[in-house]
Amino acid sequence: MADYETRTRRFTRAEYERLIDLGVFQPGEAIELIGGELMVAEPQGAPHYTAIRKTAKALEAAFGPGWEVRTEGPIGLDDESEPEPDVAVVPGAPEDYARAHPSRAALTVEVAESSLALDRVRKGSLYARAGLPDYWVLNLVDRVLEVYRGPVPDSAAPFGWRYARSEVLDASAGVTPLAAPGSSIPVWQLLP
Amino acid sequence: MKQAERPGLHRWTRDEYERLIDHGFLDEDDPVELLDGLLLVKEPQHSRHRTSVLLVARAVERAFGEGWFVQTQSPISLDDRSEPEPDVCVVRGSPRDYVDAHPTRPALIVEVAQSGLPLARGRKATAYARARVVDYWIVNLIDRVLEVHRQPVRPGPAQRHWGYAAIETLGADGTIAPLAAPSAGVRVADLLP
């Protein structure tokens, strides 16, 4: 009974894409579909946007040719989720995704200020459920990078999965993406 | 987690909500209502719930008489982000007065609640008080009582949300007169299934 209020109408990804095509949302409304729920993204402050650009540039250099670094682009994650991670690295080139959004990313990054709890718990669980192997939360509050890896089932998590390993790296540390094992990126290069 | 603690959820406007209906995402049978921008799934209709709704509709129709009409589970336009469908509403005039737009201010709203009791007392009471609905009743099927909510008050130092200052609970042997039909007496026993 206490849960009753939490029940809102859920949307499938197909419905969500039709809503966008029909122009139901206000232009520029930053919405993403997370587990059937329409979530409003964090407003873009200057540090947030700067962090996105710096992270995208650093990842482009680290991954090199054959990879596409997307910023705030949709991922067709599952039937009820179409998140728009701040940065995602996917195989191939832009034209490979002309007909459909990518469904998986080799590396997914969220830049978090006020959205820290959402990014760690709900999105972390959603991305773990989809089997995304490498998930980073760039924490602007504490100026650290949180690295999440190893998706495992956990019935207590919002979407039934979580990451088994997490590591917190400060600005002076270096990080190596799982899919670009020869590279090392200083965390300060990502921070605004 | 309560919706109130989920600030990241998209809030729908009434315009967007009506477009969802126009485009066929929601139809009349969808158990959904818009409250504070949230598309809330309505309480399932058990036969006890449905019986009480019909009893309430009949009792208030009799109490109000000419010049009023009673609508059940039909939309009202409360504010820019709320288009709820209360179980029973008493509205001034006749149905044809609202052929172009939903009613906005019923003289009386009644919700029949079982599992939806926290919602009826919480978010719905807040929204109805904010819209200055002066007479709001909850038929509480769990305790078989009628909760009468009156005197909408704006948030003050004591409370964060709009609410009702006067809340009275009447047992099955009680009688209540609607504020807008003060000479009529409605027996609580006549509202219970």
Side-chain angles (χ1 to χ4, degrees):
Chain A
M1 204 170 87
D3 274 354
Y4 180 78
E5 237 222 302
T6 63
R7 293 183 52 207
T8 52
R9 168 69 149 78
R10 304 288 163 124
F11 290 86
T12 64
R13 186 153 63 85
E15 285 180 320
Y16 173 68
E17 292 187 346
R18 228 185 109 219
L19 286 171
I20 293 169
D21 289 344
L22 288 167
V24 169
F25 302 118
Q26 313 297 317
E29 237 181 326
I31 292 181
E32 37 184 4
L33 185 71
I34 305 292
E37 290 182 326
L38 295 165
M39 306 295 294
V40 182
E42 173 167 23
Q44 290 266 4
H48 189 271
Y49 187 71
T50 305
I52 291 176
R53 292 303 311 150
K54 291 189 74 172
T55 301
K57 287 195 175 201
L59 293 177
E60 261 163 20
F63 276 79
W67 295 93
E68 155 74 351
V69 177
R70 295 162 61 94
T71 54
E72 300 170 287
I75 304 282
L77 204 61
D78 57 47
D79 285 350
E80 51 167 27
S81 303
E82 189 170 308
E84 298 185 3
D86 287 323
V87 185
V89 183
V90 297
E95 55 271 24
D96 296 339
Y97 304 101
R99 288 175 182 279
H101 300 312
S103 60
R104 290 292 175 269
L107 170 62
T108 311
V109 188
E110 297 284 5
V111 176
E113 225 165 345
S114 62
S115 65
L116 252 181
L118 172 74
D119 289 335
R120 282 177 182 152
V121 181
R122 282 188 84 75
K123 284 194 179 165
S125 181
L126 188 79
Y127 294 162
R129 184 176 74 174
L132 301 186
D134 206 3
Y135 174 44
W136 300 357
V137 175
L138 188 58
N139 172 344
L140 298 191
V141 179
D142 305 309
R143 294 185 63 79
V144 294
L145 180 70
E146 304 175 9
V147 176
Y148 296 93
R149 288 169 178 171
V152 287
D154 177 355
S155 59
F159 297 104
W161 287 73
R162 65 177 170 82
Y163 286 99
R165 297 190 306 281
S166 67
E167 199 182 351
V168 179
L169 302 173
D170 65 27
S172 62
V175 60
T176 299
L178 285 180
S183 68
S184 176
I185 306 165
V187 170
W188 62 261
Q189 256 185 31
L190 314 177
L191 290 164
Chain B
M1 217 185 306
K2 287 257 171 74
Q3 295 294 2
E5 298 155 15
R6 300 277 310 279
L9 276 182
H10 171 65
R11 301 298 176 111
W12 297 88
T13 64
R14 200 149 52 76
D15 285 348
E16 287 174 334
Y17 175 65
E18 289 180 355
R19 293 184 68 192
L20 284 182
I21 295 168
D22 290 346
H23 288 303
F25 285 92
L26 303 171
D27 64 32
E28 283 157 5
D29 297 329
D30 249 298
V32 162
E33 57 188 337
L34 183 72
L35 203 68
D36 291 339
L38 298 171
L39 289 177
L40 295 182
V41 177
K42 291 201 282 190
E43 179 165 14
Q45 289 277 347
H46 301 296
S47 55
R48 275 159 51 78
H49 186 124
R50 183 71 199 151
T51 303
S52 180
V53 170
L54 293 171
L55 291 171
V56 171
R58 196 166 64 180
V60 297
E61 210 157 50
R62 217 179 280 147
F64 278 77
E66 288 294 303
W68 301 90
F69 73 96
V70 174
Q71 63 175 39
T72 57
Q73 296 167 331
S74 303
I76 56 172
S77 296
L78 211 57
D79 58 49
D80 286 351
R81 287 172 183 268
S82 301
E83 191 171 306
E85 301 184 359
D87 284 324
V88 180
C89 283
V90 182
V91 181
R92 190 178 277 287
S94 80
R96 284 209 183 84
D97 298 337
Y98 301 95
V99 72
D100 293 320
H102 299 317
T104 55
R105 291 290 170 275
L108 170 65
I109 292 182
V110 187
E111 297 281 8
V112 176
Q114 194 163 314
S115 63
L117 201 53
L119 175 63
R121 288 175 179 160
R123 191 180 287 280
K124 280 192 177 169
T126 299
Y128 297 156
R130 196 175 54 216
R132 321 294 205 280
V133 173
V134 294
D135 211 2
Y136 170 43
W137 302 356
I138 300 170
V139 179
N140 172 343
L141 294 185
I142 296 170
D143 306 309
R144 293 185 62 81
V145 294
L146 181 72
E147 301 176 8
V148 177
H149 296 239
R150 287 173 174 173
Q151 296 174 30
V153 284
R154 64 172 66 248
Q159 79 278 353
R160 283 169 50 220
H161 303 295
W162 277 85
Y164 287 95
I167 301 173
E168 198 185 349
T169 303
L170 302 174
D173 55 348
T175 300
I176 179 80
L179 285 179
S183 59
V186 177
R187 292 173 44 205
V188 174
D190 290 345
L191 312 178
L192 293 167

